[in-house]
Amino acid sequence: MKKNKSRSTLLNRYQQLINISCDLASELDLNILLSKIVDAACEVSDAEEASILLYDPHKNTLYFQAATNLDSLLKRGLVVPLEKSIAGWIVTNQEAVIVDNPQKDKRHFNDIGKITSIECKSLLGIPLLSKGKVIGVLEVINKKGGAFTKEDQDVLLALGGQATVAIENSRLFLQSDSIGEFVHEIRTPLSALSAAAHLLKSNRVHEDQKKKMIDILESEIQALSNMSSSFLDLSRLESGRKQYNVIEFNIRDLLIDCHEIINNETQKLNLQFELELPATLPRIRGDRKQLKQAFINLLNNAVKFNKDEGEILLKAHQGKDLITIVISDTGMGIPEEEQSKIFEKFYRVSSHRDQVPGTGLGLSVVKQIIQGHGGEISFTSEVNVGTTFTVTLPHEV
Ligand SMILES: Nc1ncnc2c1ncn2[C@@H]1O[C@H](COP(=O)(O)OP(=O)(O)OP(=O)(O)O)[C@@H](O)[C@H]1O
Ligand SMILES: [Mg+2]
C-alpha cells in the first residue's frame, strides 16, 4: 500500500476500494469484518482514526462496536446519546456530514474525547444504510494534512455501501448457521420429552415408575431451558448485539464472590476448593456481571468434571499490564485429540457426554466474554490428572 495517499488520484482511490471490497465480502466473522472496515475507512479517506457505531432500533441507541484507536475492545458497547452526538444526527437525518471543528459543533458528544483520549479536529461521518434503514454510522476523524472533502465523502459512502452488505451477510450467516445447530441440538431432549409424555398418557406406566418419569421430564425441561438461555447469550455476544455495561471494579472482590457461590456446591460434593489471592489486585474496567458469568462457567466445569474428593484451586496474580486468573481441577481431563474443539459451540468431549450433563455452550460463552474484554484464555489438560484454565485480562491502572 502507498504511504502518501493524499496525492493518490480518484481513480487510485476507487481501485483501492475495489480491492478492499473483495476482502470484506469474504469475511464472515463480524468482529474481524468490522475491524477491517475501520482500517479501510482510514486508508481510503486519509484519516487518522475511524470507528463504527451500530444502531439498536429496539432500544433506539447507538453504541461503539469497532474503532482503530481503541486498543482493547473494552469500549465496545459504549453508548453514544442519539440527541447529543454527530453520529446520532447522522442516524436521524440519514445523511453524511463533514464537520471541520467538531469541538465547536453543538451536536458533538464531548465525553468521547475523554474516553478515547483523542482530540477530534475534523470529522466525516456517513450512515450505513441497508434497505432504507440505518444499521449504523461510520466515522473518520482527523484528516491527515487538511480538511475532509466532498471526494472523501463520496469514497467513504462507496466503502460504506460495501461494508453494509458485508455486515448484513455476516449477520445472516451467523444466524442461519447457529439456528441449524440449535435445532439439531434440541432434537434429542425434545424426543425424550415427547416419549415420556406419550408413555404417561398411555396409562401403561406403574405408579412407582411415574415419579421417575416425571423427574426425567423435569430435568430435560431444565436442560432445554439452560440451553436456550446460553444460546441466546452466545448469539448476542457473537453478533455484536450484546452491549457491555462497562464499569471500574475490584477483580479481587469478584473472585471472592465466585468462590463463595461455588463453595456452597463443593462442600456438598465433598470437593476441596482453595482460593489463593494476593493482598491486592488492580481495579479493572469491564462488565462485572459478564466476567462473573465467565468465571462461574469455568468453576462449574471444574466441579462437574472433577473426581470424587477432588480439588479445585482458584488463584490470581498481577503482571505488568495483565491480571492472570488460574482455575485448576483434579478431574477427568480432556483427551489431546479433542482439546482443539472444546471452545466450539455444543462440543462436549465424547467420553464425558454420558457421564456429565451439559449443553456444550459454557466455554463458547466464556471465550466471547474474555475476548470481548481484550483478554485471552488457554488451558492445559491431562486425562485423569486434571485441567488448568488460564485467563488473562488487561488492567489499566
Ligand atoms: N475442567 C474441565 N475438565 C474436563 N473437561 C472439561 C472441563 N471443562 C470443559 N471440559 C470439556 O469441554 C466440554 C465443553 O465445555 P462447556 O463448558 O462448553 O460445556 P458443558 O459444561 O458440557 O455444558 P454447559 O457449560 O453449557 O452447561 C465439556 O463438555 C467437557 O467435555
Ligand atoms: Mg460448562
Side-chain angles (χ1 to χ4, degrees), residues 190-202 205 213-214 216-217:
L190 275 181
S191 56
L193 279 179
S194 143
H198 189 76
L199 268 174
L200 281 173
K201 215 166 87 180
S202 71
V205 189
M213 293 193 64
I214 290 170
I216 296 176
L217 274 175

Side-chain angles (χ1 to χ4, degrees), residues 295 299 313-317 324-328 388-391:
F295 294 123
L299 289 167
L313 174 64
L314 168 60
K315 58 180 186 178
H317 64 265
T324 304
I325 298 116
V326 179
I327 293 167
S328 48
T388 299
F389 279 91
T390 304
V391 171

